[in-house]
Amino acid sequence: MLSTPRPDQVTAHADPIDASGLRVAILSDAAPERNGVGAYYRDLADHLRAAGARVELIAPRYRRGNWHGGLTFPLPGDPTQKLLLPSWPLVSGRLRRLRPNAIVVPTPGPFGMLGMHLAGRRDIALVVGFHTHFEALTDLFPEWSGLRARVANAYLGTCHRMLFRRSQLVLANSHEMVEVARRIGADRAALMATPIAKRFLDCPPRPIAPHLGRVLFAGRLAPEKNLESIVEAAQRLPEIEFLVAGDGPLRPWLEQRCAERSNLKHLGWVRRGQIMDLLDSVNALVLPSRVESFGTIALEAMARARIVVVSSACGILSWQLLGRGLHAIGEDETLADTLTRVRALDPALRERKAHLARAAAIEINRRNLQHWLSVLSGDHGHCVDMRD
């Protein structure tokens, strides 16, 4: 049972881990600056390096509105995202210099498939991270109806099966996603947790205000995020300020809704380095998604000892340790209903839950780093048990 110290007393100190003999290459189609999968592996790489490992994160980059790292192609259904075709000689050269013990592939795009090929060609252990059930998302985009959806799902299914078949291990960040991976064809699938950026853990959070007056959503502005519920909550709760940070295909629709309400504000795309201060400036983080394999931003808000409200579709709820610090939207509730219920709680109870949230986030991060180090070292028999 976790104790409940004040947030400024909860730190990430633990016995140092020596990973100085480990060399890891991560090949991902997700830019670290653009979504949760990209952020996951940047944060994981930082923790591995802090433990002494050599890590190459090979992925597209997004800086000042421009994409870097290969030939760009538009991603159908979302003009704010791109697919990049990597340079085989450049990637191969980086791997040759690194001589990795393991290659990690978290995406079924060009970078990921090249990583799979090079791992097999060089007899390097392959670990696959399974974060997004893309096939479930295609049904939410009207552009992907009919034949296009079938073609997209056939491609994604084929790539996932190839990755799973050639990997030594598939890791997913919720129990539900582990089962999906097994259904697709993963013979060796296990649970992983989500890392948190070191500064989120090392820097004490600001004290949370006793009232619920400022609420944040941060993420892609896309159909699966259920942005309508945030607009509806802003209409029903005019005394609460709702901030929305992010970009995506629903941005024009959201900006029109913001123009109609004084308590609903779109911040645009917020750089990764600004997220921690933004979380510290609000009382609560909401994630009312229809599809959300985990919900990294919710974990980050927990690490900052914020009130966190999530839908039942968020995979983070499947972690009992983390669930004690979350407020779930009830089956018969709207987001506005849940916020009204949470606001009516005793402020001391809300604060205690926020303290539990930070302590749980720190513990999950510690377990996850030890788990990944065991996996990447090939010592699967002594992996940390990620069940809770």
Side-chain angles (χ1 to χ4, degrees):
M1 181 73 174
L2 287 169
S3 59
T4 57
R6 295 198 316 269
D8 59 350
Q9 295 176 323
V10 181
T11 64
H13 298 313
D15 294 335
I17 300 172
D18 183 12
S20 55
L22 188 62
R23 301 180 304 278
V24 182
I26 303 170
L27 275 79
S28 170
D29 295 273
E33 302 84 0
R34 293 299 289 182
N35 61 30
V37 175
Y40 183 110
Y41 287 94
R42 185 175 69 175
D43 294 341
L44 177 63
D46 287 344
H47 284 290
L48 293 173
R49 290 181 185 121
R54 290 181 58 195
V55 184
E56 286 277 357
L57 177 54
I58 304 172
R61 300 288 171 165
Y62 183 81
R63 299 189 184 95
R64 299 183 179 87
N66 295 313
W67 291 86
H68 306 272
L71 294 174
T72 60
F73 297 91
L75 184 66
D78 188 352
T80 68
Q81 300 284 345
K82 300 288 185 183
L83 278 176
L84 273 74
L85 189 65
S87 166
W88 185 318
L90 289 178
V91 172
S92 183
R94 291 178 70 174
L95 294 184
R96 185 169 56 253
R97 290 188 293 274
L98 178 64
R99 295 179 294 108
N101 309 106
I103 289 178
V104 180
V105 167
T107 52
F111 277 80
M113 301 311 288
L114 177 56
M116 178 195 73
H117 175 77
L118 292 174
R121 187 174 179 180
R122 301 183 183 198
D123 196 25
I124 301 170
L126 177 66
V127 177
V128 173
F130 183 53
H131 296 261
T132 307
H133 189 199
F134 292 102
E135 294 89 326
L137 291 181
T138 57
D139 294 335
L140 296 176
F141 288 86
E143 301 92 333
W144 288 98
S145 59
L147 179 61
R148 296 183 72 178
R150 290 194 294 272
V151 171
N153 285 339
Y155 165 80
L156 292 166
T158 299
C159 290
H160 276 137
R161 284 190 293 273
M162 291 175 63
L163 287 167
F164 294 171
R165 186 172 62 249
R166 299 189 185 186
S167 67
Q168 276 65 55
L169 184 65
V170 177
L171 295 174
N173 54 6
S174 73
H175 300 282
E176 292 78 8
M177 288 294 285
V178 169
E179 292 306 314
V180 171
R182 288 172 177 157
R183 289 200 301 270
I184 293 175
D187 294 329
R188 300 167 299 277
L191 192 64
M192 64 178 169
T194 295
I196 305 167
K198 282 178 60 59
R199 64 186 181 281
F200 282 63
L201 303 174
D202 297 340
C203 180
R206 298 178 202 164
I208 191 170
H211 63 283
L212 187 62
R214 190 172 163 92
V215 171
L216 172 69
F217 167 87
R220 290 185 64 245
L221 307 184
E224 70 272 16
K225 300 298 185 180
N226 193 16
L227 299 177
E228 306 96 298
S229 68
I230 299 172
V231 173
E232 191 260 349
Q235 293 170 341
R236 286 182 50 189
L237 304 171
E239 66 281 7
I240 295 179
E241 181 182 16
F242 289 83
L243 306 178
V244 178
D247 198 1
L250 294 184
R251 178 170 183 161
W253 174 86
L254 176 67
E255 289 177 338
Q256 179 59 42
R257 304 290 82 75
C258 290
E260 298 166 357
R261 301 217 56 83
S262 60
N263 67 324
L264 181 61
K265 182 178 180 181
H266 180 224
L267 304 178
W269 182 259
V270 176
R271 288 188 292 108
R272 178 78 173 151
Q274 298 173 315
I275 289 292
M276 190 180 81
D277 287 340
L278 180 58
L279 286 170
D280 281 2
S281 75
V282 302
N283 312 116
L285 181 284
V286 297
L287 194 61
S289 306
R290 295 187 179 93
V291 177
E292 192 76 57
S293 63
F294 183 76
T296 301
I297 187 65
L299 184 63
E300 291 171 340
M302 292 176 69
R304 303 311 295 165
R306 263 43 206 164
I307 296 165
V308 181
V309 176
V310 299
S311 72
S312 60
C314 294
I316 192 172
L317 275 175
S318 69
W319 294 78
Q320 291 182 0
L321 178 62
L322 298 177
R324 293 199 289 270
L326 296 167
H327 299 269
I329 301 173
E331 184 176 343
D332 298 322
E333 284 186 322
T334 64
L335 174 60
D337 294 335
T338 306
L339 289 172
T340 299
R341 171 167 56 82
V342 171
R343 186 172 56 172
L345 295 173
D346 184 284
L349 180 59
R350 291 201 305 264
E351 185 179 13
R352 179 177 181 274
K353 196 154 188 171
H355 298 180
L356 279 172
R358 178 165 167 83
I362 289 173
E363 173 61 15
I364 282 291
N365 188 78
R366 182 192 65 80
R367 293 187 196 178
N368 190 50
L369 176 58
Q370 292 181 333
H371 181 61
W372 268 104
L373 287 171
S374 296
V375 166
L376 295 172
S377 300
D379 189 13
H380 299 177
H382 291 85
C383 290
V384 176
D385 188 351
M386 295 307 300
R387 296 170 297 178
D388 49 7

Coordinates of all heavy atoms in Angstrom, one line a residue, residues 253-306:
W253 N -12.6 22.8 -36.6 CA -13.9 22.6 -35.8 C -13.7 23.1 -34.4 O -14.6 23.8 -33.9 CB -14.3 21.1 -35.8 CG -15.4 20.8 -35.0 CD1 -16.8 20.9 -35.3 CD2 -15.4 20.4 -33.6 NE1 -17.6 20.6 -34.3 CE2 -16.8 20.2 -33.2 CE3 -14.4 20.1 -32.7 CZ2 -17.1 19.8 -31.9 CZ3 -14.7 19.8 -31.4 CH2 -16.1 19.6 -31.0
L254 N -12.6 22.8 -33.8 CA -12.4 23.2 -32.4 C -12.2 24.7 -32.3 O -12.8 25.3 -31.4 CB -11.1 22.5 -31.8 CG -10.7 23.0 -30.4 CD1 -11.8 22.5 -29.4 CD2 -9.4 22.5 -30.0
E255 N -11.5 25.3 -33.2 CA -11.3 26.8 -33.2 C -12.6 27.5 -33.3 O -12.8 28.5 -32.7 CB -10.3 27.2 -34.3 CG -8.9 26.7 -34.0 CD -7.9 27.1 -35.1 OE1 -8.4 27.3 -36.2 OE2 -6.7 27.2 -34.8
Q256 N -13.6 26.9 -34.1 CA -14.9 27.5 -34.2 C -15.6 27.5 -32.9 O -16.3 28.4 -32.5 CB -15.7 26.8 -35.3 CG -17.1 27.4 -35.5 CD -17.1 28.9 -35.9 OE1 -16.3 29.3 -36.7 NE2 -18.0 29.6 -35.3
R257 N -15.5 26.3 -32.2 CA -16.2 26.1 -30.9 C -15.6 27.1 -29.9 O -16.3 27.7 -29.0 CB -16.0 24.7 -30.4 CG -16.5 23.6 -31.3 CD -18.0 23.6 -31.5 NE -18.6 24.5 -32.4 CZ -18.5 24.4 -33.7 NH1 -17.9 23.4 -34.3 NH2 -19.1 25.3 -34.5
C258 N -14.2 27.3 -29.9 CA -13.6 28.2 -29.0 C -14.1 29.7 -29.2 O -14.2 30.4 -28.3 CB -12.1 28.1 -29.2 SG -11.3 26.6 -28.6
A259 N -14.3 30.0 -30.5 CA -14.8 31.4 -30.8 C -16.2 31.6 -30.2 O -16.6 32.8 -30.0 CB -14.8 31.6 -32.3
E260 N -16.9 30.6 -29.9 CA -18.3 30.7 -29.4 C -18.3 30.7 -27.9 O -19.4 31.0 -27.3 CB -19.1 29.5 -29.9 CG -19.3 29.5 -31.4 CD -19.8 28.2 -32.0 OE1 -20.0 27.3 -31.1 OE2 -20.0 28.1 -33.2
R261 N -17.2 30.4 -27.2 CA -17.2 30.3 -25.7 C -16.0 30.9 -25.1 O -14.9 30.7 -25.5 CB -17.2 28.8 -25.3 CG -18.4 28.0 -25.8 CD -18.9 27.0 -24.7 NE -19.2 27.7 -23.5 CZ -20.4 28.3 -23.2 NH1 -21.3 28.3 -24.1 NH2 -20.6 28.8 -22.0
S262 N -16.2 31.8 -24.2 CA -15.1 32.5 -23.6 C -14.3 31.7 -22.6 O -13.1 32.0 -22.3 CB -15.7 33.7 -22.8 OG -16.5 33.3 -21.8
N263 N -14.8 30.5 -22.1 CA -14.1 29.7 -21.2 C -13.5 28.5 -21.9 O -13.0 27.5 -21.2 CB -15.0 29.2 -20.1 CG -16.1 28.3 -20.6 OD1 -16.6 28.4 -21.7 ND2 -16.5 27.3 -19.7
L264 N -13.4 28.5 -23.2 CA -12.8 27.4 -24.0 C -11.7 28.0 -24.9 O -12.0 28.9 -25.7 CB -13.8 26.7 -24.8 CG -13.3 25.5 -25.7 CD1 -12.8 24.4 -24.8 CD2 -14.5 25.0 -26.6
K265 N -10.4 27.6 -24.7 CA -9.3 28.2 -25.4 C -8.4 27.2 -26.0 O -8.1 26.2 -25.3 CB -8.5 29.1 -24.4 CG -7.3 29.8 -25.0 CD -6.6 30.7 -24.0 CE -5.4 31.4 -24.6 NZ -4.7 32.2 -23.6
H266 N -8.1 27.4 -27.3 CA -7.1 26.5 -27.9 C -5.8 27.1 -27.9 O -5.5 28.2 -28.4 CB -7.6 26.3 -29.4 CG -6.7 25.4 -30.2 ND1 -6.2 25.6 -31.5 CD2 -6.0 24.2 -29.8 CE1 -5.4 24.7 -31.9 NE2 -5.3 23.8 -30.9
L267 N -4.8 26.4 -27.4 CA -3.4 26.9 -27.2 C -2.5 26.6 -28.4 O -1.4 27.0 -28.5 CB -2.8 26.2 -26.0 CG -3.5 26.4 -24.6 CD1 -2.8 25.7 -23.5 CD2 -3.7 27.9 -24.3
G268 N -3.1 25.8 -29.4 CA -2.2 25.4 -30.5 C -1.3 24.2 -30.1 O -1.5 23.6 -29.0
W269 N -0.3 24.0 -30.9 CA 0.6 22.9 -30.6 C 1.6 23.4 -29.5 O 2.2 24.5 -29.7 CB 1.4 22.5 -31.9 CG 2.4 21.4 -31.5 CD1 3.7 21.5 -31.3 CD2 2.1 20.0 -31.4 NE1 4.3 20.3 -31.0 CE2 3.3 19.3 -31.0 CE3 0.9 19.3 -31.4 CZ2 3.3 18.0 -30.8 CZ3 0.9 18.0 -31.2 CH2 2.1 17.3 -30.9
V270 N 1.7 22.7 -28.5 CA 2.6 23.1 -27.4 C 3.9 22.2 -27.4 O 3.8 20.9 -27.5 CB 1.9 22.9 -26.0 CG1 2.9 23.2 -24.9 CG2 0.7 23.8 -26.0
R271 N 5.0 22.8 -27.5 CA 6.3 22.0 -27.5 C 6.4 21.2 -26.3 O 6.0 21.5 -25.2 CB 7.5 23.0 -27.7 CG 7.6 23.6 -29.1 CD 8.9 24.4 -29.2 NE 8.9 25.6 -28.4 CZ 9.7 25.7 -27.3 NH1 10.5 24.7 -27.0 NH2 9.7 26.8 -26.6
R272 N 7.1 20.0 -26.5 CA 7.3 19.0 -25.4 C 7.9 19.7 -24.2 O 7.5 19.4 -23.1 CB 8.1 17.9 -26.0 CG 8.4 16.8 -25.0 CD 7.3 15.9 -24.8 NE 7.6 14.8 -24.0 CZ 6.8 14.1 -23.2 NH1 5.5 14.4 -23.2 NH2 7.2 13.1 -22.5
G273 N 8.8 20.6 -24.4 CA 9.5 21.2 -23.2 C 8.6 22.1 -22.4 O 9.0 22.5 -21.3
Q274 N 7.5 22.4 -22.9 CA 6.6 23.3 -22.2 C 5.4 22.6 -21.5 O 4.7 23.2 -20.7 CB 5.9 24.3 -23.2 CG 7.0 25.2 -23.9 CD 6.3 26.1 -25.0 OE1 5.5 25.6 -25.8 NE2 6.7 27.4 -25.0
I275 N 5.3 21.3 -21.7 CA 4.2 20.5 -21.2 C 4.2 20.5 -19.7 O 3.1 20.7 -19.0 CB 4.2 19.1 -21.7 CG1 3.8 19.1 -23.2 CG2 3.2 18.2 -21.0 CD1 2.3 19.6 -23.5
M276 N 5.3 20.4 -19.0 CA 5.4 20.3 -17.6 C 4.9 21.5 -16.9 O 4.1 21.5 -16.0 CB 6.8 19.9 -17.1 CG 6.8 19.6 -15.6 SD 8.5 19.2 -15.0 CE 9.1 20.8 -14.8
D277 N 5.3 22.7 -17.4 CA 4.9 23.9 -16.8 C 3.4 24.1 -17.1 O 2.7 24.7 -16.2 CB 5.6 25.1 -17.4 CG 7.1 25.2 -16.9 OD1 7.3 24.6 -15.8 OD2 7.9 25.8 -17.6
L278 N 2.9 23.7 -18.3 CA 1.5 23.8 -18.6 C 0.7 23.0 -17.6 O -0.4 23.4 -17.1 CB 1.2 23.4 -20.0 CG -0.3 23.5 -20.5 CD1 -0.8 24.9 -20.3 CD2 -0.4 23.0 -21.9
L279 N 1.1 21.7 -17.3 CA 0.4 20.9 -16.4 C 0.4 21.5 -15.0 O -0.6 21.4 -14.2 CB 1.0 19.5 -16.3 CG 0.8 18.6 -17.5 CD1 1.7 17.3 -17.4 CD2 -0.7 18.1 -17.5
D280 N 1.5 22.1 -14.6 CA 1.6 22.7 -13.3 C 0.7 23.9 -13.1 O 0.4 24.3 -12.0 CB 3.0 23.1 -12.9 CG 3.9 21.9 -12.5 OD1 3.4 20.8 -12.5 OD2 5.1 22.1 -12.2
S281 N 0.3 24.5 -14.2 CA -0.5 25.7 -14.2 C -2.0 25.4 -14.1 O -2.8 26.3 -14.0 CB -0.3 26.5 -15.5 OG -0.9 26.0 -16.6
V282 N -2.4 24.1 -14.2 CA -3.8 23.8 -14.2 C -4.1 22.9 -12.9 O -3.2 22.4 -12.2 CB -4.3 23.0 -15.4 CG1 -4.0 23.8 -16.7 CG2 -3.6 21.6 -15.5
N283 N -5.4 22.8 -12.7 CA -5.9 21.9 -11.6 C -6.1 20.5 -12.0 O -5.9 19.6 -11.2 CB -7.2 22.5 -11.0 CG -7.2 23.9 -10.7 OD1 -7.9 24.7 -11.3 ND2 -6.3 24.4 -9.8
A284 N -6.5 20.3 -13.2 CA -6.9 18.9 -13.7 C -6.5 18.7 -15.1 O -6.5 19.6 -15.9 CB -8.4 18.7 -13.4
L285 N -6.3 17.4 -15.5 CA -6.1 17.0 -16.8 C -7.2 16.0 -17.2 O -7.5 15.1 -16.4 CB -4.7 16.3 -16.9 CG -4.2 15.7 -18.3 CD1 -4.8 14.4 -18.7 CD2 -4.3 16.7 -19.4
V286 N -7.8 16.2 -18.4 CA -8.9 15.3 -18.8 C -8.5 14.6 -20.1 O -7.9 15.1 -20.9 CB -10.2 16.1 -19.0 CG1 -10.7 16.7 -17.7 CG2 -10.1 17.1 -20.1
L287 N -8.9 13.3 -20.1 CA -8.6 12.5 -21.3 C -9.9 11.6 -21.6 O -9.9 10.5 -21.2 CB -7.4 11.6 -21.1 CG -6.8 10.9 -22.3 CD1 -6.3 12.0 -23.3 CD2 -5.6 10.1 -21.9
P288 N -10.9 12.2 -22.3 CA -12.2 11.5 -22.4 C -12.2 10.6 -23.7 O -13.3 10.5 -24.3 CB -13.1 12.7 -22.5 CG -12.4 13.7 -23.2 CD -10.9 13.6 -22.8
S289 N -11.1 10.0 -24.1 CA -11.0 9.4 -25.4 C -11.9 8.2 -25.6 O -12.3 7.5 -24.7 CB -9.5 8.9 -25.6 OG -8.6 9.9 -25.4
R290 N -12.3 8.0 -26.9 CA -13.0 6.8 -27.3 C -12.1 5.6 -27.5 O -12.5 4.5 -27.3 CB -13.8 7.1 -28.6 CG -14.9 8.1 -28.5 CD -15.6 8.2 -29.8 NE -16.7 9.2 -29.8 CZ -16.6 10.5 -30.2 NH1 -15.4 10.9 -30.7 NH2 -17.6 11.3 -30.1
V291 N -10.9 5.9 -28.0 CA -9.9 4.8 -28.1 C -8.6 5.4 -27.6 O -8.1 6.5 -28.0 CB -9.7 4.5 -29.6 CG1 -8.6 3.4 -29.8 CG2 -11.0 3.9 -30.2
E292 N -7.9 4.7 -26.6 CA -6.7 5.2 -26.0 C -6.0 4.0 -25.4 O -6.4 3.5 -24.4 CB -7.0 6.3 -25.0 CG -5.8 7.0 -24.5 CD -5.3 8.1 -25.5 OE1 -6.1 8.9 -25.9 OE2 -4.2 8.0 -25.9
S293 N -5.0 3.5 -26.1 CA -4.3 2.3 -25.7 C -3.7 2.5 -24.3 O -3.7 1.5 -23.5 CB -3.2 1.8 -26.7 OG -2.2 2.8 -26.8
F294 N -3.2 3.6 -24.0 CA -2.7 3.9 -22.6 C -3.1 5.3 -22.1 O -4.0 5.5 -21.4 CB -1.2 3.7 -22.5 CG -0.7 3.9 -21.1 CD1 -0.8 2.9 -20.2 CD2 0.0 5.1 -20.8 CE1 -0.4 3.1 -18.9 CE2 0.5 5.2 -19.5 CZ 0.3 4.2 -18.6
G295 N -2.4 6.3 -22.6 CA -2.7 7.7 -22.2 C -1.5 8.3 -21.5 O -1.6 8.6 -20.3
T296 N -0.4 8.5 -22.2 CA 0.8 9.0 -21.6 C 0.6 10.3 -20.9 O 1.2 10.5 -19.8 CB 1.9 9.1 -22.7 OG1 2.1 7.8 -23.3 CG2 3.2 9.6 -22.1
I297 N -0.1 11.2 -21.5 CA -0.3 12.6 -20.9 C -1.0 12.4 -19.5 O -0.7 13.2 -18.6 CB -1.1 13.5 -21.8 CG1 -1.2 14.9 -21.3 CG2 -2.5 12.9 -22.1 CD1 0.2 15.6 -21.2
A298 N -1.8 11.4 -19.3 CA -2.5 11.2 -18.0 C -1.4 10.8 -17.0 O -1.4 11.3 -15.9 CB -3.6 10.2 -18.1
L299 N -0.5 9.9 -17.4 CA 0.6 9.5 -16.5 C 1.5 10.7 -16.1 O 1.9 10.9 -15.0 CB 1.4 8.4 -17.1 CG 2.5 7.8 -16.2 CD1 1.9 7.2 -15.0 CD2 3.3 6.8 -17.0
E300 N 1.8 11.6 -17.1 CA 2.6 12.7 -16.8 C 1.9 13.7 -15.9 O 2.5 14.3 -15.0 CB 2.9 13.4 -18.2 CG 3.8 12.6 -19.0 CD 4.0 13.2 -20.4 OE1 3.1 14.0 -20.9 OE2 5.0 12.9 -21.1
A301 N 0.6 13.8 -16.0 CA -0.2 14.7 -15.1 C -0.2 14.1 -13.7 O -0.1 14.8 -12.7 CB -1.6 14.9 -15.6
M302 N -0.3 12.8 -13.6 CA -0.2 12.1 -12.3 C 1.2 12.4 -11.7 O 1.3 12.7 -10.5 CB -0.4 10.6 -12.5 CG -1.8 10.2 -12.8 SD -1.9 8.4 -13.1 CE -1.7 7.8 -11.4
A303 N 2.2 12.4 -12.5 CA 3.6 12.6 -11.9 C 3.7 14.1 -11.4 O 4.5 14.4 -10.6 CB 4.6 12.4 -13.0
R304 N 2.9 15.0 -11.9 CA 2.8 16.4 -11.4 C 1.8 16.6 -10.4 O 1.5 17.7 -10.0 CB 2.6 17.3 -12.6 CG 3.6 17.2 -13.7 CD 5.1 17.2 -13.2 NE 5.4 18.5 -12.6 CZ 6.5 18.7 -11.8 NH1 7.3 17.7 -11.6 NH2 6.7 19.9 -11.3
A305 N 1.2 15.5 -9.8 CA 0.3 15.5 -8.7 C -1.0 16.4 -9.1 O -1.4 17.2 -8.3 CB 0.9 16.1 -7.5
R306 N -1.5 16.1 -10.3 CA -2.7 16.8 -10.7 C -3.9 15.9 -10.7 O -3.7 14.7 -10.6 CB -2.5 17.3 -12.2 CG -2.1 18.8 -12.4 CD -1.0 19.2 -11.4 NE -1.0 20.6 -11.1 CZ -0.4 21.1 -10.1 NH1 0.3 20.4 -9.3 NH2 -0.4 22.4 -9.9

